[in-house]
Amino acid sequence: MKVLCFGALNIDYTYTVDHFVQKGETLSSKSLQVFSGGKGLNQTVALARAGAEVYHAGAVGTDGGFLLQLMEEAGANIENVAVLDEVRTGNAIIQKDKNGDNCIILYGGANQAITKAQVDRTLQKFEREDFIVLQNEINELAYIMEKAHEIGMKIILNPSPMDEKIPKLPLQYVSYFLLNEIETLQLLQSDDTDDIDGERLARKLLEKFPTAAIVLTLGEKGSVYMDQKEKVSQPIYKVKTVDTTAAGDTFTGFFIAGLLKSGSVKEAMDLAAKASAIAVSRPGAAPSIPVLAEI
């Protein structure tokens, strides 16, 4: 089976400053670093490095060539990525102060220029039981989900960043939800943060979406898988944490790849936990994602 990741591709511009710029102020930065970004890109790289047959669909401007190169070097097929002349690649302007705090301005750019025609061209190359992985950083999500469902693809949704658009999607078509505690509470429209219990939250979400499987990541408390027939609790592998940026995306990619390879939820959860542990022990997002041989 093939995996299609239809998701965002970003360029992250990170400026190191003494303090966040104020109204009317002009501020010189100490440095500028340019990184690859976007949850779609990170999950595609994780899937490819985990050994899945993965295809990426999305859009960049002419300034996004190095993002395509990164995915291709990881082993992903990029023929379904549109390169647009009229819009820039999506990007983030990030100020990082001396205390390590940050503030971010997002520009959707090419990520918000997905067309129904591109969706149709892409999905016609996939078949029933193929997987499609989605996040909430591109436009036309509802259309993508409708068309994927018509084909019979298994829809995997990572509803991040969570916003008011998510509840309006045809969530009844989702085969797997991969999300964290806060996203789960938001999807349940609950503000009960006093006693967050992963298994309880997974069960509540399963009650709301009984035909789906729930994969809930719980930070240092590990992760939980739950469907109508099976429950798996997965502890973390303890490491010295350096950077958690791509931990969730790494988990997503390796879980899906592991599931496709072995068919065992338990083995897939364990593989994903090990991959995430390696990722958080390294700096950066995509550069921190391991290859399967390291696991």
Side-chain angles (χ1 to χ4, degrees):
M1 284 183 285
K2 298 183 288 189
V3 182
L4 171 64
C5 185
F6 215 134
L9 301 164
N10 282 344
I11 303 174
D12 293 345
Y13 299 95
T14 301
Y15 296 85
T16 302
V17 294
D18 281 325
H19 61 270
F20 299 146
V21 67
Q22 305 296 308
K23 179 180 178 180
E25 180 183 20
T26 299
L27 185 66
S28 294
S29 65
K30 293 184 176 181
S31 68
L32 167 63
Q33 293 174 292
V34 181
F35 298 106
S36 59
K39 294 185 71 64
L41 179 143
N42 291 338
Q43 291 178 17
T44 286
V45 169
L47 280 157
R49 290 180 182 169
E53 182 184 353
V54 59
Y55 298 73
H56 191 94
V60 294
T62 55
D63 55 339
F66 77 98
L67 304 179
L68 305 185
Q69 182 180 353
L70 174 65
M71 292 190 295
E72 197 166 35
E73 288 174 351
N77 182 303
I78 59 169
E79 66 183 21
N80 300 295
V81 179
V83 180
L84 308 176
D85 293 325
E86 66 275 14
V87 63
R88 290 183 60 185
T89 301
N91 65 64
I93 304 298
I94 305 167
Q95 294 181 61
K96 185 172 69 174
D97 72 9
K98 59 187 176 183
N99 298 316
D101 293 325
N102 62 47
C103 61
I104 302 172
I105 300 173
L106 290 175
Y107 168 66
N111 295 317
Q112 299 300 314
I114 306 298
T115 65
K116 288 182 171 66
Q118 181 186 358
V119 174
D120 292 340
R121 286 195 306 270
T122 300
L123 293 188
Q124 70 182 3
K125 303 173 185 177
F126 295 86
E127 301 174 346
R128 184 176 182 84
E129 299 297 313
D130 284 341
F131 281 31
I132 182 168
V133 184
L134 303 170
Q135 317 81 28
N136 190 27
E137 294 182 330
I138 60 172
N139 66 316
E140 295 295 358
L141 267 183
Y143 186 76
I144 294 169
M145 292 173 70
E146 292 281 358
K147 291 298 180 180
H149 176 70
E150 288 178 13
I151 294 168
M153 298 178 75
K154 292 183 178 179
I155 299 172
I156 300 161
L157 178 64
N158 173 210
S160 177
M162 181 68 76
D163 61 21
E164 70 284 351
K165 292 183 291 184
I166 291 292
K168 299 175 184 177
L169 297 174
L171 299 178
Q172 69 273 19
Y173 298 153
V174 174
S175 300
Y176 294 84
F177 287 94
L178 281 90
L179 66 181
N180 63 29
E181 297 155 298
I182 301 302
E183 290 159 353
T184 303
L185 285 169
Q186 291 172 324
L187 201 53
L188 291 169
Q189 297 181 319
S190 170
D191 56 4
D192 180 18
T193 58
D194 294 333
D195 182 27
I196 293 179
D197 176 82
E199 189 171 320
R200 180 175 61 85
L201 285 177
R203 187 172 290 108
K204 281 191 172 185
L205 197 59
L206 188 60
E207 289 172 0
K208 187 170 183 177
F209 301 103
T211 61
I214 312 301
V215 184
L216 182 55
T217 55
L218 305 166
E220 63 182 16
K221 292 178 286 185
S223 53
V224 173
Y225 172 95
M226 192 177 295
D227 63 22
Q228 295 293 354
K229 297 179 180 179
E230 186 175 9
K231 179 177 76 70
V232 176
S233 295
Q234 175 65 47
I236 65 166
Y237 286 88
K238 293 184 178 180
V239 296
K240 182 180 179 181
T241 301
V242 174
D243 186 346
T244 63
T245 304
D249 295 332
T250 301
F251 189 99
T252 296
F254 275 80
F255 171 77
I256 296 165
L259 197 61
L260 285 170
K261 183 178 181 181
S262 70
S264 166
V265 170
K266 186 174 179 58
E267 289 181 18
M269 292 286 281
D270 188 60
L271 179 71
K274 289 175 179 176
S276 299
I278 294 173
V280 301
S281 70
R282 301 169 171 172
S288 73
I289 300 171
V291 295
L292 186 59
E294 294 178 85
I295 311 300

